[in-house]
């Protein structure tokens, strides 16, 4: 939407903006995605360039149909929650199959990693605020930070409740 780009430039921009924390992306899949968008009429090649003895790079631009498809997809995603089937609730629902000590270790490890991810997001948020980047461009990071902070709080509470035996553990004899 910003300007015509070749797929690797788009990949580099996504990495620079840390959008790979929102969407799983790698150069190979991005090239295939852009080619598929072009085949579907949602993007179109607008130029080819060569730098030195590097391969030619095709630059693509979004088409009007692509803009409409993007707006429709974003509207749909914003308008209604969808169960995305994250793995963590599955692990929680099956945690009773592990010894309590192992569950507590895993939860403590997850809590540490979440705390580190939150700290990284705090640094990113401070940076974009200090550069006066309009909030509409980064409030997804704030959302993710808020969700992670809620999960961290929930996990810490769960650990406390498990350690205090407020939640009785089904079996201490389950094999790891």
């Amino acid at each position: 939407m910003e300007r015509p780009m070749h797929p690797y430039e788009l990949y580099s921009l996504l990495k620079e903006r840390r959008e790979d924390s929102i969407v799983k992306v790698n150069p190979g899949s991005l090239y295939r995605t852009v080619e598929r968008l072009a085949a579907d009429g949602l993007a179109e090649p607008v130029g080819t360039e060569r730098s030195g003895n590097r391969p030619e790079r095709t630059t693509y631009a979004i088409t009007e149909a692509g803009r409409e498809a993007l707006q429709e997809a974003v509207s749909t995603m914003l308008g209604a929650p969808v169960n995305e089937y994250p793995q963590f609730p599955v692990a929680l629902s099956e945690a009773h199959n592990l010894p309590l000590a192992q569950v507590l270790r895993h939860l403590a490890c997850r809590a540490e990693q979440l705390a580190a991810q939150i700290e990284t997001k705090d640094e990113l948020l401070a940076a974009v605020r200090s550069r006066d980047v309009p909030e509409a461009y980064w409030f997804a990071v704030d959302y993710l930070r808020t969700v992670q902070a809620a999960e961290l709080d929930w996990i810490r509470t769960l650990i406390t409740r498990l350690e205090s035996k407020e939640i009785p553990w089904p079996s201490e004899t389950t094999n790891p």
Side-chain angles (χ1 to χ4, degrees):
M1 288 286 289
E2 290 178 35
R3 67 181 185 282
M5 291 185 222
H6 56 81
Y8 191 79
E9 180 183 12
L10 179 56
Y11 171 76
S12 298
L13 186 60
L14 289 170
K15 292 292 281 183
E16 177 187 324
R17 292 179 178 171
R18 298 184 184 172
E19 297 205 22
D20 56 330
S21 69
I22 297 171
V23 115
K24 192 175 191 178
V25 63
N26 67 56
S29 65
L30 191 56
Y31 276 93
R32 287 187 296 279
T33 299
V34 169
E35 288 170 0
R36 194 170 57 248
L37 290 170
D40 292 345
L42 304 175
E44 63 186 355
V46 292
T48 304
E49 62 183 49
R50 170 170 270 160
S51 178
N53 54 353
R54 292 180 153 187
E56 285 187 345
R57 290 185 170 186
T58 302
T59 301
Y60 293 86
I62 193 166
T63 63
E64 188 56 38
R67 288 179 199 283
E68 291 170 9
L70 174 63
Q71 290 172 350
E72 183 178 323
V74 172
S75 293
T76 299
M77 288 186 282
L78 282 173
V82 206
N83 189 354
E84 296 171 353
Y85 303 103
Q87 293 179 359
F88 186 54
V90 174
L92 287 171
S93 71
E94 296 299 325
H96 63 273
N97 290 300
L98 300 175
L100 178 59
Q102 187 176 358
V103 170
L104 289 168
R105 281 193 309 274
H106 290 310
L107 290 172
C109 181
R110 185 180 186 96
E112 287 176 23
Q113 291 177 35
L114 281 169
Q117 291 173 7
I118 290 166
E119 186 177 323
T120 298
K121 284 180 179 58
D122 286 342
E123 292 167 3
L124 179 59
L125 290 168
V128 294
R129 286 180 177 125
S130 73
R131 291 186 297 158
D132 292 325
V133 176
E135 189 171 354
Y137 292 106
W138 54 261
F139 59 50
V141 177
D142 190 38
Y143 165 79
L144 291 172
R145 188 227 177 270
T146 301
V147 169
Q148 287 178 325
E151 181 180 333
L152 178 58
D153 182 55
W154 187 87
I155 288 172
R156 287 177 173 161
T157 300
L158 178 62
I159 289 170
T160 300
R161 294 180 68 210
L162 288 169
E163 288 175 339
S164 72
K165 309 289 188 216
E166 179 185 335
I167 299 174
W169 202 246
S171 170
E172 284 297 336
T173 59
T174 303
N175 291 329

